[in-house]
Every structure is written in structure tokens, then in C-alpha cells.
Amino acid sequence: MNNATQSTNLNTVPWKIHDRFVEIQSRWLTVIGEHLQDHQGNYLEYWRVEKADSLIVIPIQDQQFLLPQPSYRPGVSQATLDFPGGRLPLGADLRETAYDILLRELGIPAAAIATLEPLNSQGWAINSSFSNQRLYGWVAEITTASASALNPANTVGSILRYPIEAKGLRSLLQDLTCLQCRSVLQEWYLMQRI
């Protein structure tokens, strides 16, 4: 066995939890402090956060991305532009959650959605060192005839549109500050190119 293989095998050995010295639970997250023993026998203090998984939907209609108006985000103390998205309640159905998100954030009813497909089925780890949270990306193709079917509270005029072409993608990437939204968009883009 060569050194690279041996090193890889050692790094895949699960670390042992020596003790959990703090656990703070809230409705939104759990913060955990633990002492861990790594594969080399070292004891480390480690902090992590457990949160519900996230689901982001890229809605497309007439070769345009649809986004809600920017919303205030306390974490960065400003309004940011984001694709429709939200947290996944434990045990929630991904497809049903995507439908709910589109209705809540853009007023798009399920009947107006021609296709709704996942970009990933297992979820991407958002920060594997610090959090258990996963990110799921979905793409929804909205029917052209659905413009009049949108919820009056979210009329077409309040929905932001970015064309699906090079200039529109550059503009959208410039306006998106959320790394999760940018990642889902870039994953969608890569899948279009393959």
C-alpha cells in the first residue's frame, strides 16, 4: 500500500466523540460543542451547527429566470436578491416543498408549472466541517400561459426577470450575493453545457 492510499484510509476513519460539553437548541438550529478524538489519537474541541436542509428553485419562463423582489436578510443587514427557496422541514417531500416555495414567493400555482426537476437528489453539503446542512437545487419550467394565473399579491410586474443568455447570466451572477443561489445557478448552467 502506498503512502497516498494509507493517508486516505486514515482520513476516512470516523472520529470518536469523547464528550459533548454543550448543546443549545432553538427552533432554527442546534449548536453543539464536542471533544473529539481524531484518527491519530489527538483530542480536539469542535463546534458544529445542525440546521434544516435548504431547497432552492430556479424558475424559468419564456427563456427568462424569474426571481422575487430582494428581501431583507438579517445576517448581512441588507436586502439581497435570491432565487425562491427555503428550509426543508424534517421528513418533507422535496417536490411538494418546491411547489410550496414557488407559490409562496412568486405566486406561481402548481398548475402553472410545466416541469419540476431536481438538479441533485442527495443534496450538496453546504459546509461539511461545520454543519450537517444540505442544499437541494430544483428547476421549474413555468408555462407561458400562466402569467395571468399568478397570485395577485405577486403580480408579474413584481417578479424580476433575467434573460437566459450570456449577458443576462452575467448580470444575474453580479446581482446574486447568496453563495447557495450562485452555486445552484452554476450547477444548472453546467448541466446545460454537457
Side-chain angles (χ1 to χ4, degrees):
M1 181 182 293
N2 65 36
N3 287 342
T5 305
Q6 186 176 14
S7 175
T8 301
N9 290 340
L10 285 175
N11 288 330
T12 60
V13 174
W15 292 3
K16 296 176 184 163
I17 298 173
H18 185 269
D19 65 44
R20 180 173 289 185
F21 57 88
V22 71
E23 182 173 321
I24 304 168
Q25 294 183 352
S26 81
R27 177 177 158 221
W28 297 101
L29 57 89
T30 301
V31 178
I32 298 169
E34 296 171 321
H35 289 114
L36 303 176
Q37 184 178 14
D38 71 11
H39 61 280
Q40 296 175 331
N42 300 314
Y43 284 91
L44 309 166
E45 181 178 301
Y46 213 83
W47 291 83
R48 60 190 175 88
V49 175
E50 292 184 350
K51 296 197 296 191
D53 294 336
S54 295
L55 189 148
I56 292 175
V57 183
I58 298 178
I60 298 172
Q61 182 184 47
D62 297 330
Q63 290 300 299
Q64 295 180 328
F65 298 112
L66 307 180
L67 291 93
Q69 292 290 323
S71 294
Y72 181 78
R73 305 296 182 193
V76 292
S77 301
Q78 66 183 31
T80 64
L81 180 67
D82 302 292
F83 281 112
R87 300 277 183 229
L88 281 166
L90 189 61
D93 180 80
L94 294 170
R95 183 173 299 278
E96 289 304 314
T97 302
Y99 281 127
D100 292 345
I101 287 169
L102 289 170
L103 182 61
R104 180 185 71 232
E105 296 198 22
L106 293 174
I108 299 173
I113 301 170
T115 61
L116 182 62
E117 300 296 329
L119 286 172
N120 62 343
S121 57
Q122 299 300 314
W124 299 297
I126 292 176
N127 181 341
S128 61
S129 287
F130 186 66
S131 174
N132 68 325
Q133 186 182 16
R134 294 195 155 309
L135 171 63
Y136 294 88
W138 285 67
V139 178
E141 187 70 39
I142 313 303
T143 61
T144 301
S146 69
S148 60
L150 298 180
N151 184 328
N154 290 317
T155 61
V156 175
S158 70
I159 294 174
L160 301 177
R161 295 172 179 270
Y162 286 79
I164 298 177
E165 41 83 22
K167 186 177 177 181
L169 281 169
R170 278 194 302 274
S171 178
L172 180 54
L173 280 170
Q174 184 177 14
D175 293 345
L176 286 172
T177 56
C178 168
L179 187 58
Q180 292 180 32
C181 293
R182 293 173 62 85
S183 295
V184 171
L185 177 61
Q186 290 174 352
E187 188 70 24
W188 172 86
Y189 180 74
L190 287 173
M191 291 180 81
Q192 304 309 302
R193 310 287 292 174
I194 295 175

